[in-house]
């Protein structure tokens, strides 16, 4: 039997799936990435084909193994992380009764009032719901799309024999004998109590059949092994242990070394996510931030923005054709080219402000009708200002999340670890340190979520005894960014102006825009 030398982290992200092979020191050995089969069937609709997603995951694993010369028998264990806020319904044959409605899909907004009414009919307020599960009732909560399916496609719900998250898809696809879900992540189902088990009260209120819900397992628990069929589809070795994983952001925290109180986490990926850890169970007095469990056994307070790096990507795709062509001609990455453009605009972007609400506003505002805006530009402004305003708007939104968490009594952060696509830019990282007014750090491994999964696998199969030891051996700080005193006050003024713009538009203005979009959506 070959010596075990490697760990595999499988990261099912929103826009792409990645398989990454690491050695026991956290060095990336092999990498495979495939774009997910997302479709956009209408305004506010974001779907993914289930069988095609499984094939995408398999292909990412094949590519990672093909990029190395390792013997698959040398892999000690495999674990997973997944994009959250998403659930799916499976029939008795393992088919999908409906295309996967991912977390960015806004159909849940159509049933929020209905869900509130269902709670009220059982004598529960929205505050009671939060106090039970630690999850505000908003469009990202996966239960909203489940209730939408129950109300609009009841025959598809009835046909389902299993309801699970993306974790259930992963565990089932790679060889487990059921669609096991992660115990720590059940708040994303909005069907749990503070013990992280399904809540009969909430299930009863929403009419969810608990017998359909996937069985729960603790992160780090061995839940099966690679089967012959999966080995043939992926190139993995038959019998390789499968270790229950966790959500992408809990995994990202681990991969950034955030294993203790006082370390903040800010991910600027497709979405913007912030997190802070607490050894004691928290409940936000304002009921805005949400609580999840973690593989390392302590609680995580989180906030979320629905669009971060994806907002910048949209601006690039729709408005920066010239920059894209120029970057290709010069042999540059277009995002590096845009960063150089943004440097030509001063902090505060000469008074142009961008609200990155391209998929509604989540924490701390919970306005599903919020929409993206550029405000303040005149004939005197340039594209450089718009590009910088976009970058700053994403950071202001993340600062909103960080502030909400401190106000919710999470232990304050002495440092913030940065990850996600926007952390690859030194300029953007320094901008974050200046706007957050806290030291920020990046880590060597850019694939922090996949590394976190590999760390879960490492602890699960006994390579390391706990996550502190795993972090000490597998996570290395790459660079530290200190706030620049010369611009901190200017950015605080800009942030307060940005907040005021949202306040002015929140409610009547955003509602009117959304009503117009809905009225003419299919015409």
């Amino acid at each position: 039997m070959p010596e075990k030398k490697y760990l595999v982290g499988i990261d099912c992200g929103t826009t792409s799936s990645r398989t990454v092979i690491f050695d026991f020191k956290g060095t990336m050995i092999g990498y495979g990435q495939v774009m997910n089969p997302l479709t956009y069937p209408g305004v506010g609709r974001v779907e993914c084909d289930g069988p095609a997603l499984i094939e995408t995951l398999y292909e990412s694993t094949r590519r990672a193994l093909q990029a190395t010369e390792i013997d698959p028998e040398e892999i000690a264990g495999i674990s997973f992380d997944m994009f959250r806020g998403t659930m799916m319904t499976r029939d008795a044959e393992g088919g999908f009764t409906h295309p996967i409605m991912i977390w960015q899909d806004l159909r849940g907004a159509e049933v929020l009032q209905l869900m509130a009414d269902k709670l009220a009919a059982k004598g529960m307020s929205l505050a009671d719901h939060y106090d039970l599960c630690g999850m505000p009732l908003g469009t990202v909560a996966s239960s909203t799309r489940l209730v939408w399916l129950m109300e609009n496609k009841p025959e598809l719900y009835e046909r389902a024999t299993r309801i699970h998250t993306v974790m259930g898809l992963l565990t089932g696809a790679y060889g487990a004998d059921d669609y096991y879900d992660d115990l720590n992540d059940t708040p994303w189902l909005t069907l749990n109590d503070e013990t992280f088990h399904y809540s009969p009260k909430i299930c009863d209120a929403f009419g969810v059949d608990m017998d359909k819900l996937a069985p729960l397992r603790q992160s780090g628990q061995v839940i099966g092994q690679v089967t012959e069929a999966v080995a043939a589809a992926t190139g993995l070795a038959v019998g390789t242990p499968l270790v229950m994983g966790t959500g992408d952001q809990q995994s990202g925290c681990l991969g950034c070394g955030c294993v203790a109180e006082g370390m903040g986490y800010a991910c600027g990926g497709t979405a913007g996510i912030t997190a802070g850890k607490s050894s004691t169970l928290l409940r936000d007095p304002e009921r805005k931030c949400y609580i999840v469990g973690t593989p390392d056994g302590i609680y995580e307070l989180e906030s979320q923005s629905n669009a971060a790096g994806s907002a910048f990507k949209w601006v690039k795709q729709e408005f920066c054709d010239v920059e894209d062509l120029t970057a290709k001609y010069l042999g540059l990455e277009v995002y590096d080219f845009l960063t150089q453009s943004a440097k030509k605009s001063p902090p505060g972007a000469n008074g142009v402000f961008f609200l990155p609400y391209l998929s509604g506003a989540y924490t701390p505002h919970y306005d599903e009708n919020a929409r993206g805006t550029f405000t303040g530009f005149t004939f005197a402004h340039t594209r450089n200002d718009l590009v910088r305003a976009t970058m700053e708007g994403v950071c202001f939104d993340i600062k909103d999340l960080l502030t909400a968490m401190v106000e919710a009594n999470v232990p304050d952060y002495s440092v913030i670890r940065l990850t996600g696509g926007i952390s690859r830019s030194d300029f953007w990282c320094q901008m974050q340190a200046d706007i957050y007014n806290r030291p920020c750090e990046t880590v060597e491994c850019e694939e922090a979520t996949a590394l976190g999964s590999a760390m879960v696998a490492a602890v699960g199969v006994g390579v390391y005894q706990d996550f502190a030891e795993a972090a000490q051996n597998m996570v290395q700080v790459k660079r530290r960014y200190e706030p620049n005193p010369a611009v901190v006050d200017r950015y605080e003024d800009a942030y307060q102006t940005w907040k005021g713009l949202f306040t002015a538009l929140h409610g009547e203005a955003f509602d009117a825009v959304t009503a117009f979009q809905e009225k003419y959506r299919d015409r």
Side-chain angles (χ1 to χ4, degrees), residues 462-479:
V463 174
Y464 297 113
Q465 64 178 353
D466 56 34
F467 289 101
E469 184 182 13
Q472 183 178 4
N473 283 275
M474 299 180 73
V475 181
Q476 295 83 39
V477 173
K478 181 179 182 180
R479 187 165 179 181

Side-chain angles (χ1 to χ4, degrees), residues 284-356:
D284 180 356
E286 298 296 323
R287 299 184 174 91
K288 294 178 178 179
C289 301
Y290 46 88
I291 294 93
V292 293
T294 63
D296 41 339
I298 61 177
Y299 298 97
E300 192 166 290
L301 191 72
E302 295 186 358
S303 293
Q304 174 172 328
S305 168
N306 291 348
S310 56
F312 191 56
K313 179 181 179 181
W314 177 83
V315 169
K316 186 271 292 184
Q317 289 176 333
E318 299 300 327
F319 299 111
C320 299
D321 288 345
V322 172
E323 286 82 353
D324 200 5
L325 289 172
T326 304
K328 290 177 181 177
Y329 178 78
L330 295 175
L332 300 172
E333 289 290 333
V334 64
Y335 291 111
D336 293 336
F337 193 81
L338 290 174
T339 297
Q340 293 300 318
S341 173
K343 288 180 180 179
K344 298 175 183 178
S345 178
N350 284 315
V352 178
F353 296 90
F354 175 66
L355 298 180

Side-chain angles (χ1 to χ4, degrees), residues 200-262:
K201 286 185 178 181
I202 299 179
C203 290
D204 178 59
F206 295 151
V208 175
D209 183 351
M210 292 186 68
D211 290 337
K212 293 178 183 281
L213 297 175
L216 302 174
R217 297 292 184 268
Q218 178 63 48
S219 297
Q221 179 180 349
V222 176
I223 54 169
Q225 60 186 22
V226 172
T227 63
E228 290 185 0
V230 173
T234 61
L236 295 166
V238 175
T240 306
L242 303 174
V243 180
M244 172 54 71
T246 190
D248 51 3
Q249 303 309 321
Q250 291 107 310
S251 188
C253 276
L254 292 177
C256 286
C258 298
V259 294
E261 293 182 345

Side-chain angles (χ1 to χ4, degrees), residues 76 153 182 238 285 290-291 302 309 323 358 440 443 455 490 511:
K153 307 278 186 178
D182 169 22
V238 175
Y290 46 88
I291 294 93
E302 295 186 358
E323 286 82 353
L358 278 68
C440 293
V443 295
M455 292 165 67
R490 182 169 182 167
D511 292 350

Side-chain angles (χ1 to χ4, degrees), residues 441-464:
E441 293 176 342
T442 57
V443 295
E444 285 289 345
C445 181
E446 292 184 352
E447 297 296 333
T449 48
L451 178 59
S453 290
M455 292 165 67
V456 172
V459 174
V461 300
V463 174
Y464 297 113

Side-chain angles (χ1 to χ4, degrees), residues 58 61-62 65 70-73 75 226 229-238:
Y58 288 166
T61 302
R62 289 194 296 270
L65 288 166
I70 71 169
D71 181 348
E73 294 282 357
I75 295 171
V226 172
V230 173
T234 61
L236 295 166
V238 175

